[in-house]
Amino acid sequence: MAAHTPGDPEPEAADRPSRSAISILNRYQRALLHAADTANQAKSAFLATMSHEIRTPLNAILGNLELLERSGLSAAQRERLRAVTSSSATLLDIINAILDFSKVESGQMSVESIPFDLAEAARQVIAVFTPAAQAKGLELELELDCIIDDGLAPRYLGDPTRVRETSRRQEAPPDCAYASAIPASA
């Protein structure tokens, strides 16, 4: 519908929406927006709940795999155990990423700012990858494959959990920054 300009004939009343029609459309638009927000909140709650429900038994599986690893296993059994452990840890990482996504989406993601040892965080990430690398016949050693600069500050302020998670992700979402670390003395 074209805008009315002075000098042009008035549009016919039938061509203009009535105030009641505009009011109805505005109420309908608000109802749709509310329904979309409600559905998004329900989806986030569902993802968070399911992530927690799946993570609990998966942590029990990982704990039992660790206990099994301490028992007397043959080389073949140990190799199979490493593959299952690695796959379970990967699944747990995926579930944690889903939970993080739902937290970010709902505005509930928290990032700590505590002193932590960045070199130790790097060592922990290498330790996570070592069984998977060995299961693939690769050698991954902290001393050879992870060079930690001697000039690295002993302590940083940041979220060590998010730093480790980000380091383990092969491809982090480009718009998602999980942590930043600054020297603790700053």
Side-chain angles (χ1 to χ4, degrees), residues 8-27:
D8 287 345
E10 282 287 323
E12 302 224 6
D15 291 341
R16 289 180 293 185
S18 69
R19 286 186 181 172
S20 63
I22 291 172
S23 178
I24 290 170
L25 288 173
N26 285 337
R27 282 195 308 256

Side-chain angles (χ1 to χ4, degrees), residues 88-104:
S88 298
T90 300
L91 182 56
L92 184 60
D93 284 345
I94 292 167
I95 291 166
N96 286 334
I98 291 169
L99 183 58
D100 285 350
F101 179 77
S102 65
K103 283 181 179 179
V104 167

